[in-house]
């Protein structure tokens, strides 16, 4: 083809128009600059955006594009090398990873160095596309390099090198998101409309108004004034410096509302861009998203404010188009997500997972139920959060009723010039703990599951929490045998052996029975503990870690409506199961030295703090061994080495020995069953489909241990759908879901 003709980036769209290469590079550069200006790297991101597809300027690639357009298929020629060389020439070499990985993912630094060296020695063929594009875009041959952050020049220590890892990730996110958006505009045939989100000050005021309306419209609770005190202190603290803060509020103290209020007030006070609330469990995410939607989303028509993004959310609902687009890159002012979604994005290496990452700059990040973060990943998580605050204008709120002593982990060293403190006045947490103490504890050592069930069933309303799904099944069978005369709904079961939709239905039914004073005896695994808004007068909790015992106690006399305290029985069944996780076993050893009969109750804050300090100390520094686990120091070392593939492989939030199966319950309506069959058929046939197909199955997915899944595959009770997802063809109990073997 003639060197005088236009150069193309993409083939024809539905309008019959090709995408000019110079337009695409400039469009990507401009958008990347917009994204990265939030963390002071606009020039760097723009240069990387301009450079990312320079390799497409070569004659071979241009001919390949026209051939692919005529014959179908892909161009099949590498186009990242030329831009990688340009980036390494004009920027710190580490940032060349952004160009090299903009399709396949961020490479390891050692591989990148070797590639750059090879390109420079044997890359004479790269001169052609580089010269052609530089003629079109002179900015790719700058006389002075793009401005990089001042702190980068002194990035020599391990801590600073981890921040280089984070900066590379943020630049990568800025560029790949810009690339995707500009390419999508071409194939759409028109630019995506940019809608101005409401200002944070407007959202703050809307939140305040609606919060008052909600309080005025609901039944008063004896602890309403305490919740108001917590809220007032939190929003008063919002004018403070950006930093890392702790919000330590006992269960029932209103931390969901207070955390959101602080975040909006703080964002408005400091001109910040968005609020991101991350929660460890989908059930709480859904619950919190509903709360925030009531307080923030517009009445009637208008663009939504709250984006709920996790694996089970329906992005095709009322505001489907907005939700789908916003979820791609979190282009929303208030995001409610899971910690898995948040940290998977933060430590991933692929474009699709990392597009949203640049949205963390200038954000208020509220980590709810922070005690649920896995010990084995705390060092890289805390290091990255510190980096977001120090260099990317973020504020982080660590929120929990059982606040862990994360300061015992070296990665939480003080942030220079920033605040690391509590949002509540000194001593208020202890005062709240006393005033919000709504239960009394009884300890029952050396008992059995059957004895506990026999006692629980004698009370009109009670909840029994166990440590394993097998124990939940056993207790539910015992309860139903003891109450053969029970009416439907009086004996309830909850565990991950039930599908997500089945669990939600059960929780809603329990809530309704509690509200109407109807009899209900429920058994559940720990999934019910953190944040699920239920209020039983009597609760039984199997011996476990103190934070879980205290979280469970939050489901007892939650609103303080009983004449006296609720009763929480901590029972230690000799036939009860325990998780196999080594961190759990290590922590239990510490817990049994501090909590129990004649020792501390789980709501003793001083004992809880001592427990966390001991727990973390045994897993860090000279105390850490492979036998007792660590807090992720190896992953942090991989970050300082800029080994992005190894970090992505090692950082797994879900360390779970379970498999997922899709269950088409007979209780579902016929149209819903048919929709699931259709989705399964599409996936099995490998027909073209988007993520919405897999997402439509999430609410109908249950978990079983891998060894059970393997047995089910062998006996044809589990049939492959795609990847590691299976259809359940075995029995499914209407109350208990998938039964354990020989139960």
């Amino acid at each position: 083809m003639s060197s005088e003709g236009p150069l193309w980036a993409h083939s024809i769209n539905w309008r019959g128009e090709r995408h000019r290469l110079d337009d695409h590079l400039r469009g990507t550069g401009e958008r990347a600059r917009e994204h990265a200006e939030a963390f002071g790297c606009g020039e760097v991101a723009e240069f990387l955006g301009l450079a990312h597809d320079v390799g497409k300027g070569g004659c071979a690639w241009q001919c390949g594009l026209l051939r692919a357009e005529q014959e179908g298929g892909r161009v099949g020629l590498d186009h990242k090398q030329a831009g990688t060389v340009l980036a390494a020439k004009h920027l710190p070499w580490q940032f060349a990873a952004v160009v090299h990985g903009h399709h396949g993912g961020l490479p390891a630094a050692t591989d990148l160095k070797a590639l750059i060296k090879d390109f420079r020695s044997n890359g004479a063929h790269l001169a052609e596309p580089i010269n052609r594009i530089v003629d079109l875009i002179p900015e790719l041959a700058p006389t002075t390099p793009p401005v990089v952050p001042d702190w980068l020049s002194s990035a020599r220590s391990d801590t600073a090198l981890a921040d280089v890892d984070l900066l590379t990730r943020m630049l990568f996110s800025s560029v790949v998101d810009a690339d995707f958006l500009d390419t999508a505009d071409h194939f759409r045939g028109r630019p995506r409309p940019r809608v101005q989100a409401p200002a944070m000050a407007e959202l703050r005021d809307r939140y305040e108004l609606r919060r008052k309306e909600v309080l005025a419209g609901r039944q008063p609770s004896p602890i309403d004034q305490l919740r108001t005190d917590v809220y007032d202190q939190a929003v008063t603290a919002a004018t403070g410096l950006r930093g890392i803060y702790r919000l330590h509020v006992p269960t029932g103290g209103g931390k969901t509302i207070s955390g959101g209020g602080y975040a909006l007030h703080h964002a408005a006070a400091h001109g910040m861009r968005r609020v991101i609330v991350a929660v460890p469990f989908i059930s709480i995410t859904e619950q919190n998203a509903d709360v925030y939607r009531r307080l923030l989303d517009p009445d009637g028509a208008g663009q939504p404010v709250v984006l709920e993004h996790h694996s089970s959310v329906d992005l095709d609902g009322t505001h489907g188009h907005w939700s789908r687009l916003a979820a791609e890159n979190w282009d929303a002012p208030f995001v409610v997500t899971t910690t898995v979604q948040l940290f998977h994005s933060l430590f991933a290496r692929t474009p699709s997972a990392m597009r949203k990452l640049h949205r963390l700059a200038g954000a208020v990040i509220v980590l709810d139920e922070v005690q649920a973060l896995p010990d084995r990943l705390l060092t890289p998580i805390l290091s990255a959060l510190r980096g977001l605050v120090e260099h990317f204008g973020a504020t982080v709120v660590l929120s929990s009723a059982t606040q862990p002593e994360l300061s015992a982990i070296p990665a939480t060293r003080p942030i220079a010039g920033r605040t690391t403190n509590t949002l509540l006045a000194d001593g208020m947490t202890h005062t709240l703990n006393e005033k919000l103490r709504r239960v009394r504890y009884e300890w029952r050592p050396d008992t059995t599951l059957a004895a506990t069930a026999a006692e629980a069933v004698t009370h009109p309303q009670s909840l029994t929490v166990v440590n394993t799904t097998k124990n939940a099944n056993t207790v539910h069978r015992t309860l139903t045998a003891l109450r053969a005369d029970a009416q439907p709904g009086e004996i309830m079961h909850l565990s991950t052996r039930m599908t997500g939709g089945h669990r939600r239905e059960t929780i809603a039914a329990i809530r309704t029975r509690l509200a109407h004073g109807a009899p209900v005896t429920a058994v559940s695994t720990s999934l019910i503990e953190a944040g699920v808004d239920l209020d039983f007068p009597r609760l039984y909790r199997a011996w476990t870690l103190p934070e879980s015992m205290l979280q469970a106690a939050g489901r007892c006399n939650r609103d303080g409506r009983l004449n006296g305290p609720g009763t929480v029985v901590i029972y230690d069944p000799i036939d009860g199961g325990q998780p196999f996780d080594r961190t759990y076993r290590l922590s239990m050893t510490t817990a049994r030295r501090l909590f129990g009969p004649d020792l501390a109750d789980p709501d003793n804050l001083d004992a809880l703090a001592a427990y966390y300090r001991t727990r973390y100390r045994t897993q860090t520094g000279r105390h850490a061994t492979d036998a007792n686990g660590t807090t992720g120091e190896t992953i942090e070392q991989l970050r300082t080495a800029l080994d992005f593939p190894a970090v992505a492989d090692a950082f797994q939030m879900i360390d779970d020995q379970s498999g997922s199966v899709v269950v088409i319950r007979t209780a579902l309506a016929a149209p819903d069953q048919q929709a699931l069959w259709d989705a399964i058929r599409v996936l099995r046939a490998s027909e073209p489909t988007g993520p919405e197909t897999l997402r439509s199955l999430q609410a109908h997915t249950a978990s079983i241990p891998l060894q059970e899944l393997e047995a089910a595959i062998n006996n044809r009770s589990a049939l492959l759908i795609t990847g590691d997802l299976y259809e359940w063809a075995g029995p499914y109990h209407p109350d208990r879901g998938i039964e354990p073997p020989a139960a």
Side-chain angles (χ1 to χ4, degrees):
M1 64 179 291
S2 169
S3 61
E4 300 299 322
L7 300 176
W8 306 111
H10 300 109
S11 57
I12 57 173
N13 59 18
W14 67 274
R15 292 177 180 269
E17 302 166 336
R18 293 194 186 96
H19 198 185
R20 288 180 63 105
L21 182 54
D22 55 334
D23 288 344
H24 175 53
L25 296 181
R26 289 196 183 280
T28 301
E30 289 169 8
R31 273 194 166 105
R33 183 183 187 113
E34 289 177 17
H35 295 335
E37 279 178 345
F39 51 94
C41 284
E43 286 188 24
V44 176
E46 182 176 24
F47 185 90
L48 292 168
L50 290 171
H52 83 285
D53 271 355
V54 164
K56 290 184 177 181
C59 286
W61 199 93
Q62 290 292 306
C63 291
L65 177 68
L66 298 179
R67 182 175 58 254
E69 189 177 274
Q70 294 167 1
E71 301 174 2
R74 303 174 64 85
V75 176
L77 296 174
D78 184 279
H79 66 269
K80 60 182 178 288
Q81 296 179 1
T84 301
V85 168
L86 267 180
K89 178 179 180 180
H90 296 288
L91 290 170
W93 67 269
Q94 296 94 331
F95 299 154
V98 173
V99 176
H100 191 271
H102 76 274
H103 283 304
L106 288 167
T110 51
D111 294 339
L112 180 65
K113 278 177 155 180
L115 287 169
I116 292 171
K117 182 178 180 181
D118 182 60
F119 294 162
R120 287 171 172 168
S121 301
N122 305 302
H125 63 288
L126 302 179
E128 179 220 355
I130 290 175
N131 292 336
R132 295 177 82 181
I133 298 302
V134 168
D135 285 344
L136 289 173
I137 304 177
E139 301 97 297
L140 284 169
T143 55
T144 57
V147 176
V148 299
D150 291 340
W151 62 265
L152 194 62
S153 61
S154 59
R156 298 291 182 269
S157 67
D158 284 350
T159 299
L161 288 173
D163 290 337
V164 175
D165 162 277
L166 184 56
L167 177 57
T168 306
R169 294 174 184 277
M170 296 291 272
L171 288 168
F172 183 71
S173 172
S174 300
V175 172
V176 296
D177 188 33
D179 181 22
F180 183 94
L181 293 172
D182 192 74
T183 302
D185 280 355
H186 163 67
F187 285 108
R188 189 183 298 109
R190 62 186 184 280
R192 178 185 300 191
R194 299 194 184 189
V195 180
Q196 186 66 38
M200 282 295 164
E202 178 184 341
L203 294 180
R204 174 202 61 200
D205 295 343
R206 186 186 300 176
Y207 193 89
E208 286 294 330
L209 176 63
R210 292 194 185 168
R211 172 180 165 271
K212 292 173 183 175
E213 292 172 350
V214 168
L215 291 175
R218 75 178 189 182
Q219 184 180 358
S221 163
I223 60 176
D224 279 348
Q225 186 55 53
L226 290 174
R227 290 170 174 162
T228 297
D229 292 343
V230 170
Y231 185 85
D232 289 345
Q233 286 214 19
V235 298
T236 298
T239 57
L241 295 174
R242 303 185 200 200
I244 296 180
Y245 292 88
R246 290 162 35 117
L247 180 59
H248 190 174
V249 180
T251 302
K255 64 183 173 62
T256 298
I257 299 290
S258 296
Y262 166 83
L264 288 165
H265 279 262
H266 187 72
H270 293 281
M272 300 173 77
R273 304 194 304 166
R274 63 183 39 78
V275 173
I276 297 170
V277 178
V279 188
F281 310 112
I282 288 175
S283 58
I284 317 173
T285 309
E286 294 168 334
Q287 179 177 283
N288 289 3
D290 285 341
V291 170
Y292 293 132
R293 272 193 289 266
R294 289 200 301 271
L295 295 171
L296 287 172
D297 272 353
D299 293 319
Q303 180 169 299
V305 169
V306 178
L307 170 68
E308 181 182 356
H309 187 209
H310 52 78
S311 61
S312 293
V313 71
D314 178 12
L315 295 176
D316 300 305
T318 305
H319 299 288
H321 181 67
W322 176 83
S323 297
R324 287 192 301 275
L325 295 179
E328 293 172 355
N329 63 357
W330 284 358
D331 190 10
F334 201 106
V335 179
V336 183
T337 188
T338 59
T339 48
V340 171
Q341 184 77 238
L342 172 64
F343 291 115
H344 172 67
S345 299
L346 193 51
F347 294 100
R349 62 178 289 263
T350 59
S352 59
M354 298 177 69
R355 281 184 58 194
K356 63 182 79 69
L357 193 59
H358 64 91
R359 303 293 185 188
L360 301 181
V364 185
I365 303 167
V366 181
L367 297 180
D368 201 2
E369 306 295 353
V370 70
Q371 82 286 345
L373 291 175
D375 289 20
R376 58 190 168 76
L377 300 176
L378 282 175
T379 289
I381 284 175
L382 294 171
S383 172
L385 292 175
R386 187 189 62 226
L388 287 170
V389 172
E390 284 190 321
H391 302 303
F392 298 91
T395 281
V396 174
V397 179
L398 307 174
S399 179
S400 177
T402 54
Q403 189 71 232
E405 294 295 313
L406 296 175
S407 59
I409 296 175
T412 56
R413 67 168 179 77
I415 298 175
R418 303 300 177 96
T419 300
T420 304
N421 210 333
T422 177
L423 295 180
L424 304 181
D426 290 342
M428 185 177 183
T429 298
H430 281 77
T431 301
L432 281 171
N433 197 52
E434 291 299 319
K435 292 183 177 180
L436 286 171
R437 183 172 281 126
R438 304 178 301 283
V439 304
R440 62 182 179 83
Y441 291 89
E442 296 179 5
W443 297 85
R444 304 277 173 80
D446 301 324
T447 184
T448 65
L449 293 173
T452 304
E455 180 180 332
V457 82
T458 64
H459 298 274
Q461 295 181 330
S462 70
L463 170 64
T464 300
V465 184
V466 295
N467 288 323
T468 69
T469 61
K470 189 171 184 178
N471 285 173
N473 185 285
T474 299
V475 171
H476 187 266
R477 286 171 172 270
T478 304
L479 291 171
T480 54
L482 290 168
R483 283 290 316 278
D485 61 339
Q487 298 299 307
E490 289 189 16
I491 309 296
M492 295 284 204
H493 169 280
L494 281 165
S495 84
T496 54
R497 289 177 176 270
M498 303 158 63
T499 67
H502 191 182
R503 294 198 303 269
R504 283 195 291 274
E505 293 166 13
T506 302
I507 290 171
I510 292 172
R511 188 175 288 124
T512 298
R513 297 187 73 84
L514 289 171
H516 290 88
V520 57
T521 303
V523 57
S524 176
T525 57
S526 61
L527 67 84
I528 205 169
E529 289 175 347
V532 180
D533 190 6
L534 294 174
D535 191 352
F536 284 86
R538 190 172 184 87
L539 185 139
Y540 296 81
R541 184 43 167 116
W543 238 106
T544 186
L545 302 180
E547 65 269 30
S548 289
M549 292 190 285
L550 186 52
Q551 291 285 352
R555 305 323 113 194
C556 181
N557 197 21
R558 184 175 180 83
D559 290 323
R561 300 188 192 280
L562 299 178
N563 290 330
T567 299
V568 175
V569 177
I570 306 296
Y571 65 102
D572 199 358
I574 57 176
D575 55 346
Q578 296 278 359
F580 293 108
D581 179 76
R582 61 182 180 178
T583 298
Y584 180 93
R585 296 197 302 270
L586 173 72
S587 302
M588 277 295 291
T589 300
T590 301
R592 286 187 180 275
R593 290 200 297 262
L594 295 169
F595 300 92
D598 302 322
L599 297 172
D601 285 339
D603 60 359
N604 184 313
L605 297 185
D606 293 332
L608 194 64
Y611 153 78
Y612 273 122
R613 285 193 295 269
T614 303
R615 169 175 162 177
Y616 295 146
R617 190 165 56 245
T618 57
Q619 297 181 81
T620 56
R622 62 184 178 85
H623 301 281
T625 69
D626 289 340
N628 65 20
T630 70
T631 60
E633 290 86 347
T634 300
I635 298 175
E636 188 69 358
Q637 291 167 5
L638 294 171
R639 290 186 65 218
T640 63
L642 302 183
D643 192 342
F644 297 101
V647 169
D649 289 342
F651 191 96
Q652 299 295 325
M653 284 288 286
I654 302 176
D655 184 22
D656 190 285
Q657 295 299 307
S658 63
S660 296
V661 293
V662 176
V663 183
I664 302 179
R665 293 190 290 144
T666 56
L668 295 175
D672 294 332
Q673 291 186 25
Q674 187 59 51
L676 293 175
W677 288 123
D678 290 343
I680 289 172
R681 178 188 56 76
V682 167
L683 291 168
R684 277 201 177 120
S686 299
E687 295 179 13
T689 184
E692 64 278 357
T693 304
L694 272 174
R695 196 178 294 123
S696 70
L697 301 178
Q698 287 291 336
H700 308 280
T701 300
S703 297
I704 58 175
L706 285 179
Q707 64 270 25
E708 288 185 33
L709 177 58
E710 291 170 3
I713 293 169
N714 291 334
N715 66 30
R716 303 291 293 168
S717 294
L719 309 175
L720 181 64
I721 298 175
T722 183
D724 56 0
L725 184 64
Y726 290 80
E727 173 201 344
W728 183 251
Y732 186 90
H733 193 278
D735 296 321
R736 297 188 289 266
I738 299 173
E739 306 257 35

